[in-house]
Amino acid sequence: MARMAHPQAMQPAKPGPTRTAAARMPQKFPTGGRYLSYIAFGATSFIYLYVALQVLRMVNALASGEAAWNALLESLAHPVYLAFNAFTFLVLVWAGWRFLIKLSAKAQPKKVGPLRPPPAQAVPPLFGALWLAASALVIVVLWGIFP
Amino acid sequence: MSEVTKKTVVVTRFDPDQDEVPKTQSYEIPVQSDWKVLDALNYIKDEVDPTLSHRWSCRMAVCGSCGMMVNGEPKLTCKDALSNYGNTIEVEPLANFPVVRDLVVELDGFMERFKKVKPWIIRAKELAVEEGATRQSPQELADFKQWSMCINCMLCYSACPVVGNDPHFLGPAAIALGHRYNMDSRDEGSAERNEVMLEEGGVFACSYANECSEVCPKDVDPAAAVQQGKALSLLDWAKGLVLPRGSE
């Protein structure tokens, strides 16, 4: 049985003359079917929150002098933290893919100026390829290959 | 002649005069291979149990009346083939809506949300008849046509997790409809609508599950309307901070 929705969900401002049964959430919510991807997408916000706290920590270290800054840099060089960074990057790629590309394919304009658009089936892979290329470029730059 | 087999349809029943909470009732019925889910419900109503209540009208996926949860997914039952399912099919009223009776849900809350986004063309000054019609190019039509295809079937509301958790949320179809008018070249009411879009329960209540666009039977993309609405209403708000009142 699906869990109950909010007691006021989709209720009219004034109750009607007939007693109604309370609304229920969709049966597959929160972990069934496509909702799992949505929950995972939402859960990535914890990572952004953690990264934001790290930025505050960096600002604090900068204000506390050279010794604090060096200690922070040393802690950031820890293998666990580097692994976390790699994980964060993968999360960002996935969240960007989901938010910007996969979910917006239906709303692409039928025509862009005088240009004929590619077939609808080709749009998501094209955007996907662009996104992967941009991500690869970021990796290359972060790796320090370019001066 | 299509093949006849037997299927069990498990239907949610609720009588507001007798039941505290909805219950289920099973019907084993003969079905033809070309039937839709609605055909099975109509068979039950006509031949087995006339007390069953469900909404339907056009039987061609145009009126948007027959939306129900079929095996946990919001579907237009006149469009959804029985052959998509196994021998047992579970039919429930649309999720996230109060239930009036059996498979019939309360619509008033939905209609109130529609009115809030002012789904009509707003003009600063109406053209006089002798000035002729307001013309629109095919490109201008294409800018909003996608969202004008909505049939108000409410499947997007029953799929959206925010609708079930936030009673203030305008919901996907209402926001898409407001966005449809904001994108219409003949309309001059976007500032009024964007005030509603930025209120509590407006576009920023959406947490982008995208279920609305996944389940839409008419291939409308309400999720994109909501995201575009976020950008446009924010831009409108920012313009209001820096530009003199009344300027574009």
Side-chain angles (χ1 to χ4, degrees):
Chain A
M1 190 60 119
R3 58 189 276 263
M4 303 305 290
H6 189 286
Q8 294 302 312
M10 295 310 290
Q11 286 282 5
K14 283 185 190 165
T18 309
R19 186 174 70 87
T20 54
R24 288 184 179 274
M25 295 292 289
Q27 215 179 60
K28 293 177 182 169
F29 184 79
T31 52
R34 296 181 300 266
Y35 289 114
L36 195 57
S37 153
Y38 163 63
I39 295 294
F41 181 66
T44 59
S45 58
F46 290 109
I47 291 174
Y48 313 141
L49 178 67
Y50 180 76
V51 171
L53 291 174
Q54 285 294 335
V55 170
L56 287 179
R57 197 177 144 215
M58 289 170 98
V59 171
N60 185 48
L62 268 177
S64 304
E66 197 177 341
W69 176 249
N70 287 335
L72 177 75
L73 286 184
E74 201 175 315
S75 74
L76 294 184
H78 194 279
V80 174
Y81 195 79
L82 291 178
F84 173 75
N85 270 348
F87 175 69
T88 302
F89 181 68
L90 289 177
V91 163
L92 276 175
V93 170
W94 176 74
W97 173 285
R98 184 180 188 271
F99 187 81
L100 297 172
I101 297 160
K102 185 171 178 289
L103 302 184
S104 301
K106 269 171 141 185
Q108 303 308 324
K110 298 276 182 267
K111 207 174 167 192
V112 183
L115 297 176
R116 287 177 68 83
Q121 299 90 332
V123 172
L126 275 175
F127 275 113
L130 274 175
W131 176 252
L132 286 177
S135 303
L137 184 66
V138 169
I139 290 174
V140 166
V141 169
L142 291 178
W143 210 264
I145 290 174
F146 295 124
Chain B
M1 184 72 186
S2 59
E3 191 188 339
V4 177
T5 53
K6 289 225 166 202
K7 286 205 187 222
T8 303
V9 185
V10 182
V11 183
T12 301
R13 304 296 310 267
F14 173 69
D15 180 347
D17 292 330
Q18 291 180 10
D19 301 326
E20 276 303 308
V21 291
K23 58 193 181 195
T24 56
Q25 190 167 349
S26 296
Y27 301 93
E28 194 184 45
I29 55 167
V31 300
Q32 294 180 23
S33 57
D34 58 352
W35 274 14
K36 308 293 183 189
V37 175
L38 181 62
D39 292 317
L41 293 174
N42 284 343
Y43 180 88
I44 294 169
K45 173 93 176 166
D46 294 342
E47 308 291 338
V48 185
D49 185 352
T51 67
L52 178 68
S53 297
H54 62 290
R55 270 197 192 105
W56 63 279
S57 182
C58 73
R59 296 185 13 157
M60 56 178 90
V62 171
C63 74
S65 305
C66 65
M68 291 166 216
M69 306 299 285
V70 182
N71 282 4
E73 284 275 330
K75 297 279 184 188
L76 271 190
T77 52
C78 68
K79 195 184 177 192
D80 196 25
L82 268 179
S83 56
N84 291 338
Y85 303 98
N87 286 334
T88 303
I89 304 138
E90 200 176 329
V91 185
E92 300 167 286
L94 285 175
N96 293 335
F97 284 89
V99 181
V100 175
R101 188 183 189 96
D102 296 342
L103 300 167
V104 179
V105 295
E106 169 69 82
L107 290 178
D108 289 357
F110 176 72
M111 301 313 289
E112 286 170 6
R113 281 163 174 79
F114 261 52
K115 277 187 204 158
K116 279 188 187 167
V117 298
K118 305 182 181 182
W120 51 82
I121 286 179
I122 299 171
R123 302 277 301 178
K125 184 175 168 288
E126 286 297 335
L127 284 180
V129 176
E130 56 273 18
E131 290 177 87
T134 311
R135 298 179 70 84
Q136 193 164 56
S137 72
Q139 179 59 51
E140 287 168 333
L141 173 65
D143 287 344
F144 68 84
K145 192 178 176 195
Q146 138 80 225
W147 294 292
S148 67
M149 305 308 282
C150 172
I151 57 170
N152 306 334
C153 64
M154 306 183 295
L155 298 198
C156 52
Y157 279 71
S158 67
C160 175
V162 183
V163 168
N165 283 311
D166 181 356
H168 303 292
F169 186 39
L170 284 170
I175 292 175
L177 188 63
H179 188 63
R180 171 249 177 274
Y181 282 96
N182 281 348
M183 299 297 284
D184 193 321
S185 59
R186 299 164 297 180
D187 182 81
E188 294 166 339
S190 61
E192 277 180 51
R193 267 182 225 104
N194 286 342
E195 276 178 27
V196 181
M197 299 285 195
L198 285 172
E199 280 175 2
E200 184 190 2
V203 284
F204 286 97
C206 164
S207 54
Y208 209 24
N210 198 53
E211 281 297 301
C212 50
S213 296
E214 287 282 351
V215 302
C216 178
K218 305 304 282 185
D219 226 21
V220 177
D221 196 349
V226 178
Q227 308 324 313
Q228 290 179 20
K230 283 177 185 174
L232 293 176
S233 54
L234 211 53
L235 195 64
D236 216 41
W237 171 80
K239 273 188 197 167
L241 290 179
V242 293
L243 296 177
R245 191 174 287 273
S247 61
E248 286 295 315

